Amino acid sequence: MQRLIYILLVVITALFCASSCKTDRSHAQKQQEHFIDSVNMEFGREIKFDSLKMSELKRWIRYSDSIGYPKGVAELAISASKIYMLDFQTSQAMEMLETARIAMEKTNDPGLAALVSFYYGYFNRRINNTDAAIQFWLKALQLSLEAGDSAMYAQTLMQTGSLYLHKGLFVKAREYIGKSMSVNKQRRDQASLSIDYHLFSLYHSKKGEMDS
């Protein structure tokens, strides 16, 4: 089905090009970008590696690049990287992250830069390179603030606090988990708040063990 949609979109693109004198090319470009964003939302829900779906995802990455949509390239590449990471294919995951980074650098989008930095942190956390993960997440925090992306800001605070807790750095853990909780209360994000409360419970449990 995804392959059929891809072929149809290529045909539509050709028709747009053939009738460019009658068509608003900017409007056509935005339509294609919106469609690519919708496709990426589908791939973003994938949690299991499937070689056919991965091939399809990479076709969409190439297509996004061919129409000059670097944001689409970056976001699709991040989706591919997440799938590879969950399947423990670390070299392929890093390759897709590099594709995302290169595409992101063609934009002037701090929100996209925050997203890329967040997943570099996520990758390093998965391979237990915790110091690098924290550095990427601290950068993502700065960029998400610049972009005004409270959801990314809160998610990054939560991940950073969780990692500090894992490392036994309790002062830092409390600081970042507390900030995450504050932002999520403002956002009225109950699902994220439940995770914050769980992390605080772990914090008190682990700190109690250290203090006893």
Side-chain angles (χ1 to χ4, degrees):
M1 178 60 71
Q2 289 286 349
R3 181 173 177 80
L4 177 59
I5 294 173
Y6 173 80
I7 293 169
L8 287 172
L9 189 56
V10 171
V11 172
I12 291 169
T13 303
L15 291 174
F16 273 126
C17 293
S19 59
S20 58
C21 60
K22 298 180 181 179
T23 304
D24 183 342
R25 294 177 66 86
S26 177
H27 178 66
Q29 175 77 11
K30 288 179 181 178
Q31 284 187 319
Q32 292 174 79
E33 291 174 0
H34 179 71
F35 193 89
I36 289 167
D37 291 342
S38 299
V39 168
N40 186 50
M41 287 182 65
E42 291 188 32
F43 281 116
R45 289 190 283 265
E46 294 290 337
I47 59 173
K48 291 184 179 179
F49 178 79
D50 181 289
S51 59
L52 292 177
K53 287 184 179 180
M54 183 59 72
S55 296
E56 189 65 27
L57 177 47
K58 289 181 178 179
R59 276 195 288 272
W60 280 107
I61 291 172
R62 292 193 295 271
Y63 179 75
S64 298
D65 187 50
S66 73
I67 66 167
Y69 187 35
K71 182 174 182 288
V73 172
E75 292 179 341
L76 286 162
I78 285 171
S79 292
S81 180
K82 287 192 292 183
I83 296 169
Y84 276 131
M85 277 189 269
L86 291 171
D87 198 53
F88 301 100
Q89 299 187 51
T90 54
S91 60
Q92 293 89 337
M94 176 52 73
E95 180 183 345
M96 287 292 100
L97 276 179
E98 284 294 290
T99 298
R101 179 188 61 79
I102 292 167
M104 175 272 294
E105 289 175 349
K106 297 177 182 178
T107 74
N108 186 27
D109 185 343
L112 183 61
L115 185 69
V116 171
S117 188
F118 175 86
Y119 279 104
Y120 266 101
Y122 179 67
F123 173 84
N124 279 280
R125 178 68 183 91
R126 294 278 296 188
I127 63 173
N128 207 32
N129 190 355
T130 57
D131 290 341
I134 286 174
Q135 290 306 308
F136 278 115
W137 282 338
L138 292 177
K139 182 178 179 181
L141 286 171
Q142 179 183 356
L143 289 164
S144 57
L145 275 177
E146 182 182 340
D149 187 342
S150 62
M152 174 56 66
Y153 184 63
Q155 185 179 9
T156 310
L157 285 169
M158 182 191 296
Q159 292 292 339
T160 307
S162 176
L163 184 49
Y164 277 133
L165 183 59
H166 173 77
K167 290 167 70 70
L169 300 173
F170 296 112
V171 174
K172 287 287 188 181
R174 182 180 178 86
E175 176 188 354
Y176 282 85
I177 297 168
K179 286 181 178 179
S180 174
M181 184 176 292
S182 177
V183 176
N184 283 321
K185 283 180 179 178
Q186 292 175 7
R187 298 180 60 245
R188 298 182 180 180
D189 185 341
Q190 296 302 320
S192 295
L193 272 173
S194 67
I195 300 174
D196 289 326
Y197 287 126
H198 175 67
L199 288 172
F200 252 126
S201 176
L202 286 177
Y203 161 81
H204 286 296
S205 175
K206 289 191 174 185
K207 191 171 187 301
E209 290 175 3
M210 290 292 294
D211 293 342
S212 62

